[in-house]
Amino acid sequence: MSTARERILEATEELLATKDALAISTRAICDRAKVGMPEIYRQFGDKQGLLTAVADIGFERFLAAKRRNPLTGDPVADLRTAWDSHVAFALRNPYLYRLMFTPTGDAKPQAIKEAQAILLAAVERCRDAGRLRMTPELAGQSILSANVGVCMMALSFPELFAGDDISRAVRDAVIGKATGDEREDTRIGTATVLAQALVGTLTGAAPVSDAALDHLTRSLRPPTATPEA
């Protein structure tokens, strides 16, 4: 049997499926959860405490989806996939998303730090592949800020900003700024990896094999022009 706390949380989530948090009354929550009004204050302190708890649940689901994003051999493509899954979550859960990313009052969902950490790890994969033009911390903050901004505009003004093309344009601009244009920077990225490998070999930290070194060196050579017939 569910507890009063669980029923209150479930009722609030159900009401958030159709309306904004500010439009939900504590009376409506209590009626749906079949509890008396004082129960909210006993369990959560006040309505704001309840909403923070619901936002934390939302973040648990959001982060679980983030962890399920597949990792491929292309970390920049994985960043784009993570962006798209973020937008998809927001569009599926508009009122919950607003509650998560525009909290009011002093209590803030602490899970935002884990969201940052997951994104930072994704950005660090780009750095390790030689495809990052700024610090991982700045890149992660920039990408998350832009991602949330796109979602908020799409939710607030869907007739103007909800198009997939807008999200993709901002995504590619922000991630492109952080990682560089792949078509232009392929050899720059390879050079960075080569430099890291050589440093590892010289210091003994992570020696690079002769075969790997030969492959990296050949990757830096300009493509051979095809002779005209």
Side-chain angles (χ1 to χ4, degrees), residues 181-204:
D181 185 274
E182 184 179 357
R183 291 168 298 178
E184 296 177 356
D185 295 335
T186 299
R187 288 196 294 147
I188 294 174
T190 304
T192 302
V193 174
L194 174 61
Q196 292 170 340
L198 288 174
V199 169
T201 297
L202 292 173
T203 61

Side-chain angles (χ1 to χ4, degrees), residues 29-204:
I29 295 170
C30 292
D31 289 346
R32 196 177 191 93
K34 295 181 171 54
V35 299
M37 188 77 72
E39 196 65 37
I40 287 181
Y41 300 93
R42 279 197 292 268
Q43 297 291 338
F44 303 97
D46 55 19
K47 182 184 177 183
Q48 185 57 52
L50 167 59
L51 294 178
T52 299
V54 173
D56 284 331
I57 293 174
F59 267 109
E60 289 176 9
R61 296 175 183 168
F62 175 77
L63 294 173
K66 286 287 185 186
R67 297 186 197 99
R68 289 194 297 269
N69 284 335
L71 296 182
T72 70
D74 186 341
V76 176
D78 293 345
L79 275 181
R80 297 191 188 101
T81 297
W83 175 291
D84 293 342
S85 70
H86 183 133
V87 173
F89 179 91
L91 296 180
R92 287 195 308 270
N93 306 276
Y95 301 110
L96 177 60
Y97 185 87
R98 280 201 189 97
L99 178 63
M100 291 163 53
F101 285 95
T102 57
T104 58
D106 296 331
K108 310 291 184 185
Q110 294 302 300
I112 186 66
K113 296 177 181 178
E114 186 175 352
Q116 284 183 299
I118 290 174
L119 181 54
L120 179 61
V123 170
E124 286 174 341
R125 290 183 63 231
C126 296
R127 176 201 61 194
D128 295 343
R131 295 178 65 184
L132 198 63
R133 287 183 166 180
M134 58 184 68
T135 66
E137 291 76 14
L138 179 58
Q141 290 170 332
S142 300
I143 293 169
L144 184 56
S145 297
N147 212 170
V148 173
V150 162
C151 292
M152 287 300 180
M153 294 301 283
L155 296 179
S156 299
F157 306 98
E159 69 283 0
L160 297 175
F161 297 101
D164 289 342
D165 55 338
I166 296 174
S167 177
R168 286 194 296 267
V170 178
R171 177 198 69 188
D172 293 346
V174 175
I175 294 177
K177 178 68 174 179
T179 64
D181 185 274
E182 184 179 357
R183 291 168 298 178
E184 296 177 356
D185 295 335
T186 299
R187 288 196 294 147
I188 294 174
T190 304
T192 302
V193 174
L194 174 61
Q196 292 170 340
L198 288 174
V199 169
T201 297
L202 292 173
T203 61

